[in-house]
Amino acid sequence: MDDAYSVQTTAADAGEADGLERLMALKDGDTFLVADGWGDMKGGADGLFIHDTRVLSRLVLTVGQARPSRLSSGVSQDNVYFTCHSTNRPLPPMGGRSAPAGVLHIERRRFVRDRRMFERVRMANHGVEDVLLPLAIDFAADFADIFQVRGTRREQRGTLAAPAHDGRRVTFAYDGLDEVRRTSCLAFSEPPARLSGSRAEFMFSLPKGKRCDLYVECGSELCDQPDEARFRLNAVAARLAMRTRRRRGASLRGPRSPRFNDWLDQSRADVALLTTDLPTGPYPYAGVPWFSTPFGRDGIITAWQMLWLDPSLAKGVLTYLAMRQATEFSAFQDSAPGKIMHETRGGEMSALGEVPFGLYYGGVDTTCLFVALAGAYARRTGDFDLIRTLWPNLIAAVSWMKDHGDVNGDGLIGYQRGAETGLSNQGWKDSEDSIFHTDGRFPKGPIALLEVQGYAYAAWRAMADLAATLGDERQAEWAGQAERVRALVEDRFWMEDEGFYAIALDGDGAQCRSIGSNAGHLLFTGLPSAERAKRVTKRLLGAEFRSGWGVRTLATGQARFNPMSYHNGSVWPHDTAMAAAGMARYGERRAVALLLGEIYAAAAHFHLRLPELFCGFERNTGEPPIAYPVACLPQAWAAGSVFLMLQSALGIGIDAIAGTVEIDDPVLPAGIDRLNITNLQVGDGRVDLAFQQMGNHTVVIPLRRDGPVSVRTVR
């Protein structure tokens, strides 16, 4: 996302594909933890982070001076627990015979709750003799800022205090250059035989057939003594909190085959994991580990993906972003009055202004998307109380679009970063090499991106629709502005010889004639004519875009095409989902079902958890998709993709104002013969729907209807 602050990790920090060890993540609120498959943290791309600061950078467990032999590990499907099962290697002699390998079972079970890591190390002796078990835990806390962990160099740092320790606890402290003291505490339920500022050594006497437990906690505040009761109490609370988040809104169940349902459950659990309940309401953070914070664009698109099932996310996102709407000009923050934020951060480097992301507005599309989501939310819920509350923010947002977003004065929204510290490209493809001419040259600014004009069109349409309900006399003005944007895009971006839209216009108004997936987002907004939409769809479904695992971000044969790049040929699930939803707007439901099937096949190879992106190599029989080494996993708009694609394939439109659910020519993906939707709220009513494959058609049957809800089918 932030091209100026790219991730610096080794291949071993990446995914499990190609035999590499994948990192595993837990999250609760503004706290997240990343560790390897053993549960160890080694100070690379891992650690325990609180508010963008790593408060525990090392935690490595050894048994008999060796790493245990791992049997299995993973995160529970509800994303609450990490568990690693392992066994011992041969233990050194302890006053007698050495214990052979494979007689001890070591289980590490861990979760995160309330700014704290809780862990239980359970050791069981399955041998025929008693065992003396030497166990050691090496640890450290470097208090590195998240941007340091990602590879940004700092000329100066604050002061790291020497660790202090007593019988069962070690406390760490760091005095930052921002004059904030940051602390953390690591505590054990049993007193170590030896304890220093970096290592705890234990000696457990383990009779045959018996087990014992060691409880470990780490948080930013002084730890109470860990024990079984604290572990159990907080584990129950963590699971209940996650269950509450997962059960918001309507639910989906597929056929009897559990695989598809497992994907739905995993995706819903990933959205729930990344959602933080803020004072303004639930907000889906972008992704772990690098983007576990509110992002404007990511939050809006994730909320839009989930809108038909769970409108509470959209309400939380709109409310939060409205409170952080810019009110002044700042080149460093890339802000102007009315603009909606791109990103916010809480670490030391952001506080000091070493990076601009403490509260950063360098996203050209977020303001338009904010307005468009408000319109979609109003149609979906009929909640005009919220719209009236947000009306001043919406007016300020469209004022920014007109007065400051139109940097060239040509009626199009453009960008050029305000300071060298900001993002050079400010659409969703924000890596520095993602926008270029057909010969590979980078365009001069300001740049007007294709999809951003579509978002602007949707925003003006939304304001006109909202004004009609609220009685605002500017309805006609805003509707006219939407049509002017439509005409400009059709005139200036369309390439008749290519049958496609240019990816952008440069500062001279010349087309950047690269062929990219951005046109799929334009379809999502409904801007193109039906004839041009058909031509764009045909090309997006062709071999130059379709990898067999989804739609590539850039067509093959284009300058800078690279299937291993971040934005120039990779596959992003949310990008494919947006394109599919755009095709569905123009009646291409079978294409949506086809792409949904491809994304499902990719998810099956990623343990049913879609990463932020993966490589865009062509699909070959019997071979899995190729992982992108440092993709966020989980990632919010990747997890939400399946729900947007299902809505599009099923042709579901919800109008709470009219109290209707409209089903337009539904199609189920291949291999899925039925799908049930339960507890779908429409205004003051609720309805359950069953979709069933009948020959060559998919039919919908309302199973339960409570309140004033009507279901209409369209063919």
Side-chain angles (χ1 to χ4, degrees):
M1 291 182 179
D2 303 336
D3 65 310
Y5 304 94
S6 59
V7 178
Q8 304 294 320
T9 62
T10 64
D13 292 326
E16 199 173 46
D18 300 324
L20 300 178
E21 175 62 28
R22 67 188 180 110
L23 298 179
M24 301 188 186
L26 300 172
K27 176 188 171 294
D28 180 66
D30 289 305
T31 302
F32 69 90
L33 184 152
V34 182
D36 67 17
W38 280 261
D40 290 340
M41 304 171 237
K42 298 181 177 179
D46 49 12
L48 175 65
F49 295 79
I50 301 177
H51 287 299
D52 289 327
T53 299
R54 185 162 62 184
V55 301
L56 187 66
S57 53
R58 184 171 180 82
L59 190 74
V60 177
L61 183 146
T62 54
V63 175
Q65 302 179 1
R67 193 180 216 190
S69 179
R70 185 175 60 160
L71 303 173
S72 70
S73 63
V75 175
S76 59
Q77 191 177 57
D78 65 1
N79 288 323
V80 174
Y81 299 117
F82 164 83
T83 305
C84 175
H85 296 277
S86 61
T87 188
N88 66 295
R89 303 178 190 276
L91 297 180
M94 293 287 178
R97 289 169 46 189
S98 170
V103 299
L104 302 179
H105 174 224
I106 301 112
E107 178 196 78
R108 297 179 73 176
R109 190 167 177 83
R110 171 188 292 163
F111 63 93
V112 173
R113 179 178 180 269
D114 196 21
R115 298 164 58 89
R116 189 177 298 274
M117 176 199 78
F118 293 83
E119 180 167 338
R120 181 188 68 198
V121 182
R122 172 162 285 175
M123 299 151 280
N125 182 2
H126 295 285
V128 296
E129 296 182 347
D130 298 348
V131 171
L132 283 176
L133 172 60
L135 182 145
I137 298 176
D138 293 288
F139 49 79
D142 63 1
F143 295 94
D145 186 279
I146 187 70
F147 287 99
Q148 284 179 272
V149 179
R150 289 174 58 182
T152 304
R153 300 182 186 277
R154 299 187 69 190
E155 294 183 2
Q156 292 183 323
R157 281 203 70 197
T159 303
L160 193 64
H165 56 88
D166 55 25
R168 302 177 194 231
R169 295 186 302 194
V170 182
T171 54
F172 310 93
Y174 169 74
D175 294 307
L177 297 178
D178 57 354
E179 300 182 353
V180 174
R181 166 159 276 219
R182 294 170 172 86
T183 62
S184 62
C185 175
L186 180 67
F188 307 98
S189 61
E190 300 295 329
R194 294 180 183 175
L195 181 63
S196 69
S198 61
R199 184 176 173 89
E201 298 180 359
F202 302 86
M203 183 65 71
F204 295 101
S205 177
L206 201 56
K208 61 182 179 181
K210 300 295 183 181
R211 73 183 189 195
C212 65
D213 294 334
L214 172 67
Y215 293 91
V216 183
E217 291 184 24
C218 184
S220 59
E221 299 175 353
L222 195 65
C223 298
D224 294 327
Q225 181 175 321
D227 57 27
E228 180 180 9
R230 283 176 54 82
F231 184 87
R232 287 181 176 274
L233 180 66
N234 284 279
V236 169
R239 177 147 272 175
L240 289 175
M242 180 62 76
R243 184 180 300 170
T244 298
R245 291 199 294 272
R246 290 180 66 192
R247 291 183 175 179
R248 287 175 177 149
S251 62
L252 290 170
R253 302 306 294 170
R256 293 178 183 176
S257 173
R259 195 71 168 161
F260 190 76
N261 286 331
D262 286 346
W263 183 35
L264 295 177
D265 290 343
Q266 184 67 68
S267 299
R268 199 68 180 261
D270 284 352
V271 173
L273 172 72
L274 293 168
T275 297
T276 297
D277 289 319
L278 302 174
T280 48
Y283 200 107
Y285 285 11
V288 175
W290 310 118
F291 308 116
S292 187
T293 189
F295 273 78
R297 178 192 304 121
D298 297 64
I300 290 169
I301 289 180
T302 304
W304 208 324
Q305 292 171 330
M306 302 299 297
L307 180 60
W308 69 290
L309 294 171
D310 179 16
S312 71
L313 282 184
K315 183 175 183 178
V317 167
L318 290 167
T319 305
Y320 179 90
L321 294 177
M323 290 184 64
R324 284 153 182 80
Q325 189 171 33
T327 58
E328 58 186 15
F329 293 97
S330 168
F332 182 68
Q333 291 180 300
D334 241 319
S335 68
K339 202 174 184 183
I340 298 298
M341 74 158 215
H342 169 69
E343 174 182 1
T344 183
R345 293 286 187 172
E348 178 189 9
M349 293 176 69
S350 296
L352 291 168
E354 295 178 28
V355 294
F357 303 114
L359 189 55
Y360 181 60
Y361 293 85
V364 69
D365 49 2
T366 310
T367 308
C368 304
L369 284 167
F370 170 78
V371 178
L373 177 63
Y377 172 81
R379 288 192 302 275
R380 169 63 183 87
T381 65
D383 181 7
F384 279 89
D385 288 340
L386 178 66
I387 298 302
R388 289 185 181 92
T389 300
L390 297 178
W391 197 241
N393 304 99
L394 296 170
I395 295 296
V398 293
S399 296
W400 174 85
M401 291 167 58
K402 185 176 180 180
D403 298 336
H404 307 299
D406 184 4
V407 289
N408 280 333
D410 58 0
L412 299 172
I413 305 293
Y415 68 89
Q416 187 162 341
R417 66 180 172 185
E420 288 299 312
T421 52
L423 298 177
S424 56
N425 283 317
Q426 298 189 355
W428 85 263
K429 295 179 180 179
D430 57 7
S431 51
E432 61 184 5
D433 63 346
S434 61
I435 307 300
F436 50 88
H437 287 286
T438 52
D439 59 1
R441 287 180 299 112
F442 295 133
K444 62 175 289 189
I447 297 169
L449 291 171
L450 172 67
E451 74 275 15
V452 175
Q453 315 317 315
Y455 303 152
Y457 167 76
W460 291 117
R461 285 289 305 269
M463 288 299 285
D465 292 344
L466 294 174
T469 301
L470 297 178
D472 192 298
E473 62 185 11
R474 289 166 288 190
Q475 177 195 1
E477 173 190 341
W478 291 329
Q481 183 63 26
E483 290 308 310
R484 282 189 288 274
V485 171
R486 181 203 290 271
L488 281 169
V489 172
E490 295 284 47
D491 177 54
R492 300 188 60 187
F493 284 85
W494 180 252
M495 301 180 293
E496 181 61 31
D497 58 328
E498 294 282 2
F500 212 75
Y501 291 93
I503 201 170
L505 302 182
D506 69 11
D508 293 326
Q511 292 179 341
C512 297
R513 292 173 57 87
S514 301
I515 307 298
S517 63
N518 308 55
H521 294 236
L522 196 70
L523 298 182
F524 177 78
T525 67
L527 183 150
S529 67
E531 188 272 334
R532 287 182 176 178
K534 184 176 181 179
R535 294 175 71 181
V536 168
T537 296
K538 182 178 180 180
R539 195 152 184 188
L540 287 171
L541 293 175
E544 61 182 336
F545 273 109
R546 273 183 57 215
S547 68
W549 303 113
V551 175
R552 298 184 181 97
T553 50
L554 187 69
T556 57
Q558 298 295 300
R560 300 189 178 275
F561 173 79
N562 180 351
M564 300 174 290
S565 69
Y566 199 50
H567 287 127
N568 290 336
S570 54
V571 174
W572 288 63
H574 93 279
D575 186 40
T576 296
M578 296 282 278
M583 296 175 195
R585 281 192 79 129
Y586 294 89
E588 293 285 351
R589 306 233 179 270
R590 298 197 180 279
V592 177
L594 175 68
L595 291 173
L596 176 57
E598 293 184 353
I599 290 291
Y600 174 36
H605 288 284
F606 289 112
H607 308 281
L608 298 178
R609 169 180 274 176
L610 283 169
E612 176 186 19
L613 73 156
F614 45 90
C615 293
F617 291 105
E618 184 178 355
R619 181 176 181 174
N620 291 314
T621 303
E623 296 182 9
I626 297 173
Y628 183 82
V630 290
C632 278
L633 190 70
Q635 209 261 3
W637 64 16
S641 296
V642 58
F643 304 109
L644 178 61
M645 295 181 82
L646 277 173
Q647 180 190 14
S648 302
L650 297 175
I652 297 177
I654 303 171
D655 186 341
I657 302 171
T660 61
V661 179
E662 186 174 280
I663 312 296
D664 185 358
D665 192 21
V667 177
L668 287 168
I672 306 301
D673 60 1
R674 61 185 178 85
L675 187 73
N676 289 347
I677 303 171
T678 58
N679 202 34
L680 186 67
Q681 184 170 355
V682 182
D684 294 328
R686 295 177 187 272
V687 66
D688 296 347
L689 301 173
F691 291 84
Q692 181 75 46
Q693 190 68 30
M694 296 288 189
N696 294 326
H697 299 286
T698 300
V699 298
V700 59
I701 305 168
L703 298 178
R704 177 182 65 91
R705 200 174 341 203
D706 295 333
V709 183
S710 65
V711 179
R712 294 188 301 146
T713 58
V714 179
R715 288 285 179 184

